[in-house]
Amino acid sequence: MRTKYRVSKGLNLRLSGAAPLDPSDIATESRCSSCAITPDDFPGFEPKAAVKEGDLVGAGAPLLFHKADPEVKLTAPCGGRVSAVVRGERRKIVRVVVEPAEGTEAVTFATPDKDASAEEIASLMKTSGLWAMMRRRPFDTIPLAGDEPRDIFVNAMDTAPLATDPTAAGGFDKRQLETAVAALRKLTKGNVYICVAEGANFVDVAGARMCEFTRLHPAGLVGTQIDAIAPINKGETVWTLNLDTLVRLGRLLVTGKLDNKVVCTVCGPALKTPRVVRAFIGEDVRDLLAAEKEIPANVRIISGNVLTGVQVGEDGYLRYPYTQLTVIAESNDDAEFMGWASMSPSKLSVSSAFPSSYNKREFRPDARLNGGRRAMIMSEVYDKLIPIDIMPEFLIKAILARDIDRMEALGIYEVAPEDFALAEFADPSKLELQRIVREGLDFMRKETQG
């Protein structure tokens, strides 16, 4: 039986360019020319190269390992030749690129039996790369070696703009899901929760507590789900992972092989042929856009959704944990009559002062900021869009002031940057809320953990 939760605060952005879910497209794999692992996508991971340019690696072979815990690795999404280990300032590893090549075999991992200990399960997840695909709260980083999570949350829904429901593709192996949940239960003394969208056609998994949420964004964010089910208190730790990671863990435990494919939504108002395709983690953006005969000039390509995604170029890569590529117009030089004061029904706004808030049309947003940054305006818009039980405006002020006591009292341990993405979109102050929260979390982690 599923426990149902209703989220009343939030907003679903009605954008054009949605991709139809066609099972025939999902069955067809993209033609992968290269894929890349970017260490910055795994907060808390301190990378050190395990390979050099020219090495042949199999799918699942280690590319990078964590300096603080060398057993934690990031592994190759596909088998092939390491074509580049790209470094930035101070020789920081920016990404490792692998190009598919013949003569490579996927790594087969030794799978523990059903009586395996928590240590054996954790060791397998670390060496296979699945450990780094989880997140811990507080601080929204990869789990620490000695963590004992109070609960583990599996997010099996996505309410972001133009996102595809992760459960919609179907084809899940119930035995593998139950095996994965049984393994996760050994890592916590609490519960394993699986959160799905209202009406989702997804099996109930034995051993997990099934929770169902309304489809109002940000109900699809794990922070919203944790706050509704079992909020985090100071001194507690919870782990989170998405449905793809749960599926990968189940397949790994049953077959000894990693499944590094994702169902990727290629969408956005700037595309003529939005689609859903099966691709590798970290796949080349050009492969994902191959079906688009002509990419319009002056567009912004976003790995992820328009709220939380990372801007990448046409020569970039799909960033983790995103399974979405969104293309919108840049329009840097476009001028608009009356600017922000225009009452045009084509202007996307959350304010009831604009006619667009009353119609049901789909909007075609671009990347313009439509205004300059200014001092923080206490408009209460954050409270209307963030369902987590915190005082978001005061928390942002405490973060900017680096007031540790107030940050703790106002709920810094409960949040992640993505929880503020919708408020950042509607913020009349034009503050970079996600960046502020990320810096606040990193500051708190450094001050409390050293």
Side-chain angles (χ1 to χ4, degrees):
M1 182 178 178
R2 298 182 180 181
T3 305
K4 297 185 178 181
Y5 296 89
R6 180 176 179 81
V7 175
S8 57
K9 292 183 179 181
L11 177 70
N12 287 331
L13 299 183
R14 302 184 300 275
L15 307 186
S16 64
L21 185 61
D22 188 343
S24 63
D25 286 340
I26 297 174
T28 303
E29 298 180 357
S30 62
R31 185 177 179 180
C32 179
S33 61
S34 66
C35 53
I37 291 296
T38 305
D40 282 351
D41 295 342
F42 305 87
F45 187 92
E46 301 173 10
K48 189 168 184 179
V51 294
K52 59 182 183 296
E53 292 183 8
D55 286 354
L56 282 174
V57 295
L63 298 178
L64 301 162
F65 62 88
H66 187 19
K67 291 180 182 177
D69 185 359
E71 194 178 8
V72 178
K73 297 178 175 65
L74 295 178
T75 58
C78 63
R81 188 177 300 278
V82 178
S83 61
V85 179
V86 182
R87 294 181 182 270
E89 295 181 1
R90 299 184 179 181
R91 293 189 56 78
K92 174 186 175 182
I93 298 176
V94 177
R95 62 179 172 269
V96 179
V97 183
V98 179
E99 295 181 355
E102 296 182 0
T104 59
E105 295 184 1
V107 174
T108 300
F109 294 87
T111 57
D113 57 36
K114 63 180 181 179
D115 297 322
S117 65
E119 290 73 20
E120 291 175 300
I121 298 294
S123 178
L124 175 63
M125 295 184 70
K126 289 178 179 180
T127 56
S128 65
L130 295 183
W131 186 271
M133 292 182 181
M134 297 191 295
R135 297 290 177 267
R136 75 187 296 267
R137 294 204 184 192
F139 308 129
D140 190 42
T141 62
I142 65 171
L144 302 179
D147 269 352
E148 293 184 4
R150 185 202 68 193
D151 299 303
I152 298 177
F153 291 81
V154 180
N155 187 7
M157 61 183 292
D158 193 345
T159 54
L162 300 179
T164 300
D165 187 338
T167 66
F172 300 104
D173 188 313
K174 187 175 182 179
R175 174 177 169 242
Q176 291 182 4
L177 291 174
E178 291 178 347
T179 301
V181 168
L184 292 177
R185 284 177 60 86
K186 294 182 179 182
L187 302 178
T188 177
K189 296 179 180 179
N191 299 309
V192 175
Y193 297 95
I194 298 180
C195 303
V196 299
E198 186 177 35
N201 184 22
F202 187 71
V203 297
D204 288 348
V205 182
R209 293 196 175 188
M210 305 297 298
C211 303
E212 192 173 275
F213 283 80
T214 51
R215 294 176 182 262
L216 178 66
H217 189 67
L221 298 183
V222 71
T224 303
Q225 297 160 7
I226 294 171
D227 182 74
I229 299 169
I232 306 171
N233 297 312
K234 182 179 178 180
E236 294 179 336
T237 299
V238 300
W239 291 354
T240 70
L241 61 151
N242 58 25
L243 180 60
D244 285 339
T245 305
L246 183 73
V247 172
R248 291 188 192 104
L249 176 59
R251 186 172 189 269
L252 176 64
L253 290 169
V254 172
T255 68
K257 300 282 188 178
L258 273 175
D259 181 3
N260 290 315
K261 297 291 184 67
V262 295
V263 175
C264 181
T265 304
V266 183
C267 58
L271 295 182
K272 293 182 179 179
T273 56
R275 65 187 187 125
V276 178
V277 64
R278 193 163 176 80
F280 281 102
I281 295 173
E283 187 156 335
D284 193 319
V285 166
R286 287 168 291 197
D287 299 329
L288 300 174
L289 294 175
E292 197 74 13
K293 295 181 180 179
E294 183 179 355
I295 305 296
N298 200 26
V299 296
R300 178 171 296 191
I301 302 175
I302 303 168
S303 178
N305 61 73
V306 293
L307 296 177
T308 65
V310 180
Q311 182 179 354
V312 295
E314 197 171 343
D315 57 349
Y317 296 87
L318 185 66
R319 302 286 291 271
Y320 187 83
Y322 300 113
T323 58
Q324 182 177 342
L325 195 73
T326 309
V327 185
I328 63 174
E330 194 72 59
S331 299
N332 287 330
D333 301 322
D334 288 0
E336 184 179 10
F337 176 67
M338 294 184 67
W340 64 268
S342 168
M343 299 300 289
S344 169
S346 64
K347 182 182 290 294
L348 177 60
S349 176
V350 300
S351 172
S352 58
F354 286 82
S356 61
S357 65
Y358 298 100
N359 62 42
K360 300 297 182 183
R361 67 179 295 171
E362 292 181 341
F363 295 92
R364 300 175 61 85
D366 54 45
R368 286 176 294 175
L369 191 61
N370 286 329
R373 295 180 177 86
R374 56 186 70 91
M376 188 173 184
I377 301 170
M378 302 292 283
S379 63
E380 298 184 358
V381 68
Y382 300 178
D383 294 317
K384 297 176 182 178
L385 300 176
I386 299 178
I388 299 176
D389 187 19
I390 59 173
M391 301 173 69
E393 291 175 328
F394 292 96
L395 175 58
I396 292 297
K397 285 190 171 186
I399 293 173
L400 291 172
R402 295 296 189 264
D403 188 330
I404 293 177
D405 291 337
R406 285 185 61 79
M407 289 162 68
E408 287 185 339
L410 291 168
I412 186 70
Y413 296 132
E414 300 180 51
V415 301
E418 64 180 12
D419 297 319
F420 284 76
L422 191 58
E424 181 178 305
F425 158 75
D427 185 15
S429 306
K430 309 293 182 182
L431 296 179
E432 297 179 0
L433 298 180
Q434 294 180 81
R435 176 186 60 79
I436 291 170
V437 173
R438 179 75 269 168
E439 291 176 355
L441 290 170
D442 291 344
F443 172 77
M444 289 293 290
R445 179 161 59 98
K446 181 180 179 181
E447 291 296 314
T448 59
Q449 295 182 350

